[in-house]
Amino acid sequence: MIPPSLRAAGMPFQRLFGVWFLFSLTMGTLPVPTSALADSQRALELPVDHGKAPLPVANWTKSFWINSPGANPLAGEGSQGPLTEDADVCIIGSGLTGVSAAYHLGKQLEGRERAAPLKVVILDARDFCAGATGRNGGHLSPVAFASFNLALQRFGTDEVLRWLALERHTVTEVVKIIEEHGLQEAVDLTNGGRIELLITPEELTAAKADYKAAEAAGADLDDVKWLNEGETFGSSHPGYLHTGYNLWPLKFVTELYKLAAASPALNLTLHTRTPVTAVTPSNGSSTRPWTLNTPRGSVSCTRIIHATNAHVSHLLPHMSGPAGVIPVRAQVMALRAAAPLDSISRHAWTGNEGFEYWFPRPLEEGQEHPLVIIGGGREATLPKYELYVADDSAINPKAGAALRKFLPTLFPGKYEEGREPEMEWTGIMGYTASSDPFVGPVVDPSSSTNKYEGHFVSAGYSGHGMPRAFACAEALAQMVAAGIMGKSWSPPEWLPRHYLTNRVGLVQH
Ligand SMILES: Cc1cc2nc3c(=O)[nH]c(=O)nc-3n(C[C@H](O)[C@H](O)[C@H](O)COP(=O)(O)OP(=O)(O)OC[C@H]3O[C@@H](n4cnc5c(N)ncnc54)[C@H](O)[C@@H]3O)c2cc1C
Ligand SMILES: *[C@@H]1O[C@H](CO)[C@@H](O)[C@H](O)[C@H]1NC(C)=O
Ligand SMILES: *[C@@H]1O[C@H](CO)[C@@H](O)[C@H](O)[C@H]1NC(C)=O
Ligand SMILES: *[C@@H]1O[C@H](CO)[C@@H](O)[C@H](O)[C@H]1NC(C)=O
């Protein structure tokens, strides 16, 4: 329950504004306060003012990743002609989660003797991969130790180490697939490392404490290098460097789809621009238990994977609100730097406890200064941090104003003040109260009978899905494949047990 003190929105936000003014006095520079993480999570406790999430809007903002020429060859795949009427597994959503689930199903079922290929269909309301995965910051970095103490308090040592392991597993596997298939150029993979900038003294102290706790717990910290004020390319703040890659997320998902489609274990089809408006128990002639309803007709399925992230509660209403997944709008822009690539550094960066993240795109022919993709600015959208905003057809001018000023302020002389971005867009993330996703069979706690038999979900990455969605989809595909083959499933060592919807193997500490 929400404590009455938090219900009266005035109280905590007085304090929030207090922090805001404090930082503008002491630093006098950055357009947004840092260390807003805890306060934004607290906003999740505000009274719920919306029911289930809507379907994704049809008039979305154009993103650099989706709308660069030639970037989305599968955009309208399967949007016309006959709809696949029947499938063993229906996957709703063609982002990183849905396509990873198809890829892993192919891997899990490889080499099954005498079996016909599994009929799998992916449906998406919009163009291929035009949700969060087609609109994010393009970072692929496993967490090193940030927020280690907080997670330790909440979940205990085993679970925190699994969290770190899951992110390392994701990044290692994704990079391995890219390298094995020679896709580095196709997906613009760069291995520049990632710098977490520690902007306030409190952030530095907290980071040192997190590092110590992670070290004591036996976490692998070999890749971490501390940087002093003079080593962060003119930002004049300390920080640390650790493993980090960047890529073009839509292009990676496109390649992953091609690999899944080529799997001999699958008969895979894709229908874009086909929103699933309801899932109902089948009636009439179908032998499959479930029917997906779409404006183009219906699809009968035995198993369903909900890979709809921020929109998951549209079809699963019990997953709306703070006990489920809340849509939260995030904003990104493509801003041209005013200095050469090497002087602004190739790294990907974040403002650690703040919400900003950025990296320079590789230089294209004829370009002197790189295009920097920067996201964040939600701290400027108090008091609600864009919570419950599921409309990515518009941008938030306050977030936009903060983002425009952020880099010119942090790196004096390297960006032109007042310069307009070349593109600016929004996307919808799915937040949960724990900041961790729900992975596993769909369970409605209010119902004693299992009314979602055969439904699975992986959703709610809370703005941190790039290093997690691929592995969560792997766990899901293992469960689904085990069910198909009549085998039992036990979670892989790297999967935090508290992610699981049915809490298999979760030992309370
Ligand atoms: C602006 C922005 C910046 C981000 N930055 C980062 C970052 O720096 N690092 C990081 O790790 N993560 C980041 N994220 C989060 C990350 O992008 C997501 O966690 C991840 O992409 C989720 O993948 P997904 O496949 O689950 O969801 P999505 O990519 O959103 O895919 C869900 C798909 O489901 C479809 N869909 C929804 N409902 C229906 C329906 N009823 N019928 C049919 N289709 C439906 C949607 O159209 C969509 O294509 C960011 C997200 C945004 C929006
Ligand atoms: C794949 O499924 C479609 C129907 O969805 C069917 O027409 C086709 O023959 C199948 N292909 C294979 C190789 O089984
Ligand atoms: C069968 O299900 C569809 C939805 O899938 C529904 O519109 C229709 O009314 C149902 N028919 C009967 C006879 O229940
Ligand atoms: C996008 O479409 C929705 C629904 O039709 C509408 O409410 C919204 O204003 C549109 N957005 C823009 C920016 O036009």
Side-chain angles (χ1 to χ4, degrees), residues 84 86 117 119 267:
T84 306
D86 164 274
K119 282 180 75 174
N267 180 350

Side-chain angles (χ1 to χ4, degrees), residues 280-284 291 293 298:
T280 48
S282 293
N283 54 20
T291 300
N293 300 282
S298 56

Side-chain angles (χ1 to χ4, degrees), residues 305-321:
I305 293 180
H306 294 261
T308 48
N309 202 34
H311 302 277
V312 69
S313 65
H314 189 76
L315 297 172
L316 300 172
H318 71 275
M319 291 188 75
S320 56

Side-chain angles (χ1 to χ4, degrees), residues 57-59 391 393-394:
V57 300
N59 49 350
D391 174 8
S393 73

Side-chain angles (χ1 to χ4, degrees), residues 115-178:
L118 191 78
K119 282 180 75 174
V120 179
V121 57
I122 302 180
L123 299 116
D124 201 292
R126 311 208 291 203
D127 283 8
F128 180 71
C129 197
T133 311
R135 325 185 139 264
N136 68 28
H139 296 228
L140 180 69
S141 321
V143 63
F145 59 82
S147 304
F148 194 94
N149 274 313
L150 182 65
L152 194 62
Q153 275 167 30
R154 281 179 165 179
F155 304 117
T157 308
D158 291 352
E159 287 289 275
V160 193
L161 291 177
R162 286 188 186 115
W163 164 43
L164 267 49
L166 175 137
E167 297 208 6
R168 286 194 184 262
H169 172 75
T170 303
V171 174
T172 307
E173 290 300 306
V174 166
V175 170
K176 201 160 101 189
I177 292 172
I178 292 170

Side-chain angles (χ1 to χ4, degrees), residues 53-57 60 65 91-100 122-141 167 194 246 249 253 271 273-279 292-294 306-315 328-333 349-350 355-358 374-376 392 425-431 458-470:
L55 282 170
V57 300
W60 61 85
W65 310 118
I91 299 176
I92 312 173
S94 68
L96 183 54
T97 301
V99 174
S100 296
I122 302 180
L123 299 116
D124 201 292
R126 311 208 291 203
D127 283 8
F128 180 71
C129 197
T133 311
R135 325 185 139 264
N136 68 28
H139 296 228
L140 180 69
S141 321
E167 297 208 6
R194 164 146 153 172
N246 289 92
V253 174
H271 292 291
R273 302 174 192 164
T274 308
V276 177
T277 51
V279 183
L292 303 188
N293 300 282
T294 85
H306 294 261
T308 48
N309 202 34
H311 302 277
V312 69
S313 65
H314 189 76
L315 297 172
V328 179
R329 185 167 64 187
Q331 196 153 319
V332 182
M333 62 176 59
W349 300 67
T350 88
F355 295 154
E356 288 65 38
Y357 42 89
W358 64 98
I374 171 164
D392 58 5
W425 63 92
T426 49
I428 312 300
M429 311 181 288
Y431 268 62
S458 184
Y461 307 100
S462 306
H464 194 62
M466 288 294 285
R468 299 200 283 186
F470 177 87

Side-chain angles (χ1 to χ4, degrees), residues 188-227:
D188 272 357
L189 182 75
T190 40
N191 179 6
R194 164 146 153 172
I195 294 173
E196 314 286 336
L197 218 48
L198 301 163
I199 293 178
T200 65
E202 292 77 14
E203 285 178 20
L204 180 61
T205 308
K208 294 270 181 194
D210 282 330
Y211 182 91
K212 265 184 120 168
E215 195 175 38
D220 175 5
L221 297 166
D222 288 353
D223 61 332
V224 175
K225 183 175 181 264
W226 291 92
L227 305 172

Side-chain angles (χ1 to χ4, degrees), residues 175-392:
V175 170
K176 201 160 101 189
I177 292 172
I178 292 170
E179 288 177 348
E180 268 174 9
H181 294 89
L183 298 170
Q184 292 91 329
E185 279 187 29
V187 306
D188 272 357
L189 182 75
T190 40
N191 179 6
R194 164 146 153 172
I195 294 173
E196 314 286 336
L197 218 48
L198 301 163
I199 293 178
T200 65
E202 292 77 14
E203 285 178 20
L204 180 61
T205 308
K208 294 270 181 194
D210 282 330
Y211 182 91
K212 265 184 120 168
E215 195 175 38
D220 175 5
L221 297 166
D222 288 353
D223 61 332
V224 175
K225 183 175 181 264
W226 291 92
L227 305 172
N228 65 35
E229 291 79 350
E231 293 175 313
T232 54
F233 297 86
S235 86
S236 67
H237 297 286
Y240 60 93
L241 173 68
H242 65 108
T243 303
Y245 295 83
N246 289 92
L247 43 60
W248 192 307
L250 167 62
K251 291 188 175 179
F252 172 68
V253 174
T254 303
E255 296 299 333
L256 202 61
Y257 178 81
K258 289 191 214 160
L259 292 172
S263 165
L266 303 186
N267 180 350
L268 181 62
T269 49
L270 168 63
H271 292 291
T272 62
R273 302 174 192 164
T274 308
V276 177
T277 51
V279 183
T280 48
S282 293
N283 54 20
S285 56
S286 176
T287 54
R288 309 253 189 208
W290 296 104
T291 300
L292 303 188
N293 300 282
T294 85
R296 299 174 59 197
S298 56
V299 188
S300 305
C301 324
T302 301
R303 291 179 171 83
I304 297 168
I305 293 180
H306 294 261
T308 48
N309 202 34
H311 302 277
V312 69
S313 65
H314 189 76
L315 297 172
L316 300 172
H318 71 275
M319 291 188 75
S320 56
V325 178
I326 296 171
V328 179
R329 185 167 64 187
Q331 196 153 319
V332 182
M333 62 176 59
L335 185 70
R336 185 74 58 189
L341 186 55
D342 287 335
S343 78
I344 67 165
S345 106
R346 277 163 205 275
H347 301 102
W349 300 67
T350 88
N352 201 43
E353 295 273 290
F355 295 154
E356 288 65 38
Y357 42 89
W358 64 98
F359 82 101
R361 293 268 311 132
L363 277 182
E364 283 169 31
E365 219 170 282
Q367 293 180 346
E368 195 187 342
H369 298 147
L371 196 60
V372 177
I373 307 291
I374 171 164
R378 273 198 305 130
E379 305 96 318
T381 67
L382 298 176
K384 290 177 88 181
Y385 293 96
E386 300 283 80
L387 259 73
Y388 297 104
V389 182
D391 174 8
D392 58 5

